Amino acid sequence: MKRMRVLMLGWEFPPAINGGLGVACHGLAKALASQVDLQVLVPQIDRDVPRDGFELRGANEVTLQDLAVTEKHYRYESFSEVEFIPVSLDPYTSEEAPLKKIVPGTKEWVEFSQTTSEDITLLGNGDLYGDDLGMKVIQFSKIAAKLALQSDFDLIHAHDWMTWLAGVEVKRVTGKPLVVHLHASQYDRAGSDARGWIYDLEKIGMTEADRVIPVSHYTGRVVVSHYGIESAKVRPIHNGAEPVSRYRSRRRFPEKVVLFLGRLTAQKGPEFFLEIAGKVIEREPAVRFVMAGKGDKLRQLIETGAFKGLGGRFHFTGFLAKEKVNELLSMTDVYCMPSVSEPFGLSALEAAQFGIPAVLSKQSGVAEVLQGALKADYWDTNLMAEHIVHLIRDGELRDKVVKQAAIDIKAATWDAAAGKVMSVYHELLS
Amino acid sequence: MMAASPLLAPCICFQVHQPYRLTSYDFFQIGQRSYYEDDELNRRVFSKVAEKCYLPAAQFFRKLIERSEGRFRIALSFTGLVLEQMADYRPDVLDSFCDLIATGGVEVLGETYYHSLASLYSFAEFQRQINLHGAKVREVFGVEPRVFRNTEFIYSNRIATEVESLGFRGILAEGVPWVHPHSEANYLVKAPGTKAVKILLRNSFLSDDLAFRFTDKAWKGYPLNAADYCERLAGMHGQLLNIFMDFETIGEHQWRDPGTFRFWEEFVSMYLERGGEFVSPSMAVARFEVESDYDCSQPTSWAESERDPSAWIGNAMQKEAALKIHGIEQAVMETGDPRLIHSWSKLQCSDHFHYMNSRVGSDGLAHRYLSPFETPYDAYIYFMNALADLQIRVDRINIARSFLV
C-alpha cells in the first residue's frame, strides 16, 4: 500500500511551549512519522529544532516567492471584510478579552487574499498569543492554504482552534478530508458560558471537520454536549508521555510534600488546592503544600492562604523551568490536580513517572488513564483532602496506587496514540 | 500686650537603624540552607548610608555640640541590629558615634534590640530584647539608657506600664490627635495608673517639617530657612518641643540637599543666640512636672496617616507572618541554642513586615523605595519560607533534646 501523506497544522512547537499543546504535537508527530509521510506547518520555528523524521516548516520562514505560484489562484473569503479581530488569548489569564465591534474593512477582498511580507513577519513575532492573535490566525490560514495548493497530501490534521481556520481553508481549496485534534477548548479555559470568537471558531472547525479527536472521553463529552458536534465523528484518543529519567531527592525536612503544578488560573482550580491544604493540615499537620506556577490568581491565592493561616506550610514557587520541576517532583509525595476542567493533564502522567501517587479531579482526561489514582469532583475538597490523608498515612494504599500507575504509564505511549490516530486516518481514506 | 514668653527647649531625638534584609529564599532552600540574609546587599546599603549620612552627620553634630558649650544636645536611639552592622561592616562608623557620644551632649535611649514588634505580642520577649539592648549599649558606649523609645514609636497604656516596670523614667510616643489635642504635645503627660514614667509626645508638625517637608517643593513653607523655623518654635507654648525623626533623613532618606547641614548649623546657632536651650529626654523628665493623663488604650505609632501599627500588621500577610514568628517563641526558647534564638529574633525586625505592606499612594511609595523586593507578595513568600526553615531547625533540636531527658 502507498504510504499515506499527512499535512499537519500546529501552533506551539518545542521549544516554544506554554503548556501541553506543543509537547503533545511534537510527541504525536514523532510517533506518526514512522508510519506516514508527514509535513508539519507551524507559525514560527527555530532553525535548529530537530526534525525527528518529518518535514517541519515555520510560516515565518516562508518567502513571498514561495507563495507566488499560488498567490493569483487563491481567493480568501473567510473574514475578508474584517480589519481588526479583538481577541487575545493569554494562557495565564482566564478571561477572554471583551468582544469589541468588528469594523468592516475598506480593502477589496481580492486584495485581502494577498500575503504581504508584513503578514509573514507578524507570524514570526515573539509571542504566539497576545493581542494580535486573531490576525495571526487569519494570516496563518492564508499562508497554509497557498502552500497546500502546491503540495501533495491525502489528509489534513489540525491541532486546536488556532490552526482550525487554516484546516478549514485548506480543506476548502484542496477537498482533502480534515481531522481536528482538540487539546484544550474555550469551555476548559473560561467555563460553560464561554462564547465569543474563539468558541465560534472551535465550533466551525469541528463542524467542518470529518473527524474530531478530543484528548479524552471527558473532552469528547464536552465536544458533543457543549459544542453540539455529532458524536458519530468523535474519536477520543489519549495523549502519550515521553519517558523521563526519574530520581528521588534526599528528604530535606520530615514533612510530606503535596504538589500542585500548573497555571494559576480558574481552569486549574488553585483555590480548591488551597482549601484542600487547609483541610489536610487540620488532620495531618506534618505536610507541606507546594504551588508551582504563575497566573492571574497568584496574589489572591497568597492573601487567602495568609488569611487562612497556611503560610509556612503552603509554599509558592512561581514559574519553574523544567529542571526545577523535576527537582520538585523528586521531593513530592502526593500529586494533586483539582482542575475544574482538564482535557488531559499531561503533568499528572509526568508525576506518575516519578512514582508519585495522584489525587485527580474527575473532570480530567488523565483520570481515565491513571486508573488507580484517587479521584474526586474538583469541588469536593473534603474527599480530595481525605484521599491525600490516606495516601500519607496508608503505605499499602500508596504502593497500590503507584503500582497501578506504573502499569498505566507503560500503556500510555505516543506510539499507542499514533496507532489509534492511524485508524482514524484509515476510516477516512478507505 | 503680653510679654514675650520664654523660648521653649527643643528635645531632639534621632532613631538610628538598619535592618538585615533577607535573600530571595525560595522553597528549594528550605531544610538546606539555614542563612536567610543578603550579606552583600546589607553591606552595600550600610556603606552607602555610612558615607552619605552616618559619618558626616556624626562628625557634624559633634562639632555643633562642642561649639555650643553644653547648650546644644541630642538623643540617639540605636537598634542592636545597627550596632552589629557597624561593628561588622564599618567599624569607622562605630568609632565616629563613640566620639560623638563622648562629648557628653548625647543621651542614648533604650529600645528593643531587634527593632521588633514584640511589645504587641509578648511581654517576656519585649523585656528580653530591652535588656539585651541595654547590655549592648553599656558595652559599646558605656552608658545606661534611662528613657525608652519603642520600635516606630509604638505606644499604648499597657506598654507604658511595662516600660515603667523595667525602671525607665520616660517613654517617647507619637501624640495622636484622637487621644490628645495637638496643642498639648508640648507638655509632659503620663499613662493612667503609672507613677514613675513620664511621656514625651512627638510634636508631629515641627518634626515632619524637618523630616519630610523640608525637600517638598509643593509645600507652602518651601524652602524652609532657619530663621523662619526659629520663629515658628518661638511662637510655641508649653514645656518643651519634642522633635523626633530618623537620623537617616539627614543626607539619606529625604535630604539629598547640601543645604541640610547649613540649615541645622544656622538653626542651632540662631536659637542659642536668642537665649534658647536644648534638652535631652532625661533632663526634660527631671525638670518638668506631668500636666495630665494621656489615656491611649489602642496601640499607636508614628507611621502613615493611620498612626497605628497597621503599616506593619495591617494586611493578612503581615498579620500572619507576625503571628507565626511570635507564635513559636516558647519552642525557640526551649532549644537554648543562642545562634538559633538570635536568628529567630532577627526575623522579628519590623522592616520585614513593612516590606509586605501592600498599600498604594504616597505611603505605598515609601514602602517600595525601602523594600529590597519587587512586590509585598515576594517579601511575604520569602519570609515565610525562611520562617519554615527556622521552624524545622527548632523542631530538630527540640526532638533531639526530648530524647536526652
Side-chain angles (χ1 to χ4, degrees), chain A residues 92-391:
Chain A
Y92 290 98
T93 61
S94 317
E95 312 259 320
E96 192 179 344
L99 200 65
K100 290 179 208 146
K101 194 180 166 200
I102 291 181
V103 187
T106 49
K107 294 176 185 175
E108 294 293 321
W109 61 267
V110 179
E111 204 183 313
F112 190 80
S113 299
Q114 286 176 1
T115 300
T116 65
S117 52
E118 284 110 64
D119 299 339
I120 293 170
T121 321
L122 173 77
L123 289 169
N125 269 350
D127 192 1
L128 274 171
Y129 300 95
D131 286 342
D132 50 4
L133 176 59
M135 276 331 270
K136 283 182 183 145
V137 164
I138 289 175
Q139 297 310 338
F140 181 69
S141 72
K142 278 155 58 175
I143 293 170
K146 289 170 194 173
L147 290 174
L149 281 171
Q150 303 174 27
S151 91
D152 270 338
F153 52 89
D154 305 306
L155 181 143
I156 317 147
H157 187 155
H159 294 279
D160 270 3
W161 71 272
M162 294 82 76
T163 74
W164 290 357
L165 181 62
V168 170
E169 277 299 311
V170 174
K171 179 180 175 179
R172 190 175 67 79
V173 296
T174 63
K176 304 295 183 191
L178 170 65
V179 176
V180 297
H181 206 128
L182 180 58
H183 298 266
S185 72
Q186 194 63 0
Y187 173 86
D188 303 311
R189 285 183 294 263
S192 60
D193 52 356
R195 289 291 185 280
W197 202 70
I198 296 173
Y199 175 87
D200 290 346
L201 263 191
E202 286 173 335
K203 181 146 178 159
I204 290 168
M206 291 191 277
T207 308
E208 297 292 315
D210 300 279
R211 289 290 181 275
V212 178
I213 302 180
V215 291
S216 60
H217 296 280
Y218 165 72
T219 297
R221 287 192 291 277
V222 172
V223 165
V224 173
S225 64
H226 187 67
Y227 289 87
I229 303 303
E230 210 187 317
S231 62
K233 67 178 187 185
V234 179
R235 301 280 182 280
I237 298 176
H238 289 131
N239 285 340
E242 299 279 348
V244 295
S245 48
R246 54 174 283 192
Y247 63 102
R248 270 322 267 175
S249 291
R250 184 182 64 83
R251 268 194 188 286
R252 297 168 185 185
F253 36 75
E255 296 84 12
K256 296 284 166 64
V257 174
V258 181
L259 174 65
F260 172 101
L261 185 64
R263 292 189 299 264
L264 308 185
T265 59
Q267 183 196 348
K268 304 290 180 181
E271 60 273 60
F272 296 106
F273 186 63
L274 202 64
E275 234 180 278
I276 293 163
K279 288 175 177 174
V280 171
I281 287 172
E282 264 174 38
R283 295 170 59 183
E284 190 59 69
V287 185
R288 291 186 186 282
F289 289 80
V290 179
M291 186 170 262
K294 62 171 184 177
D296 61 354
K297 290 210 174 269
L298 176 63
R299 291 183 170 197
Q300 185 195 320
L301 289 162
I302 291 173
E303 286 174 7
T304 310
F307 188 73
K308 286 170 177 274
L310 294 175
R313 286 279 191 229
F314 196 103
H315 307 275
F316 295 89
T317 67
F319 179 81
L320 297 177
K322 191 75 198 156
E323 234 171 79
K324 278 286 176 189
V325 168
N326 287 344
E327 186 181 342
L328 196 50
L329 287 169
S330 77
M331 304 162 60
T332 297
D333 297 287
V334 177
Y335 187 81
C336 179
M337 196 179 75
S339 292
V340 173
S341 183
E342 189 68 67
F344 190 72
L346 197 59
S347 60
L349 278 192
E350 289 173 352
Q353 289 178 324
F354 271 78
I356 304 165
V359 176
L360 304 174
S361 135
K362 283 184 183 169
Q363 289 70 29
S364 74
V366 75
E368 299 160 13
V369 178
L370 293 174
Q371 295 175 19
L374 303 183
K375 289 150 203 168
D377 288 309
Y378 68 87
W379 46 263
D380 193 349
T381 52
N382 285 331
L383 186 54
M384 289 268 189
E386 198 169 313
H387 285 331
I388 292 172
V389 171
H390 285 164
L391 283 173

Side-chain angles (χ1 to χ4, degrees), chain A residues 250 252-253 255 288 290 299 302-303 305-307 309-312 315-317 320 324 327-328 331, chain B residues 26-32 316-317 320 324 358 375 377 380-381 384-385 388-389 391-392 395-396:
Chain A
R250 184 182 64 83
R252 297 168 185 185
F253 36 75
E255 296 84 12
R288 291 186 186 282
V290 179
R299 291 183 170 197
I302 291 173
E303 286 174 7
F307 188 73
L310 294 175
H315 307 275
F316 295 89
T317 67
L320 297 177
K324 278 286 176 189
E327 186 181 342
L328 196 50
M331 304 162 60
Chain B
D26 64 37
F27 174 75
F28 295 96
Q29 299 180 54
I30 299 174
Q32 300 273 83
M317 296 184 284
E320 195 209 9
K324 287 262 159 86
S358 50
T375 71
Y377 300 88
Y380 168 78
I381 287 173
M384 293 309 283
N385 284 340
D389 182 79
Q391 173 90 61
I392 291 163
D395 292 349
R396 220 174 262 159

Side-chain angles (χ1 to χ4, degrees), chain B residues 191-254:
Chain B
T194 59
K195 288 191 187 71
V197 69
K198 296 176 180 171
I199 309 167
L200 289 86
L201 295 175
R202 190 175 83 108
N203 185 314
S204 57
F205 292 108
L206 295 178
S207 303
D208 292 346
D209 280 352
L210 300 188
F212 299 110
R213 291 187 279 267
F214 188 81
T215 49
D216 180 5
K217 294 198 165 119
W219 178 45
K220 63 175 169 23
Y222 183 88
L224 183 65
N225 67 54
D228 289 351
Y229 194 65
C230 280
E231 209 50 52
R232 197 172 314 172
L233 263 54
M236 294 278 164
H237 300 281
Q239 295 172 324
L240 78 170
L241 305 170
N242 293 316
I243 299 170
F244 306 159
M245 69 186 96
D246 282 335
F247 196 65
E248 293 81 7
T249 54
I250 297 180
E252 165 53 22
H253 289 180
Q254 302 279 335

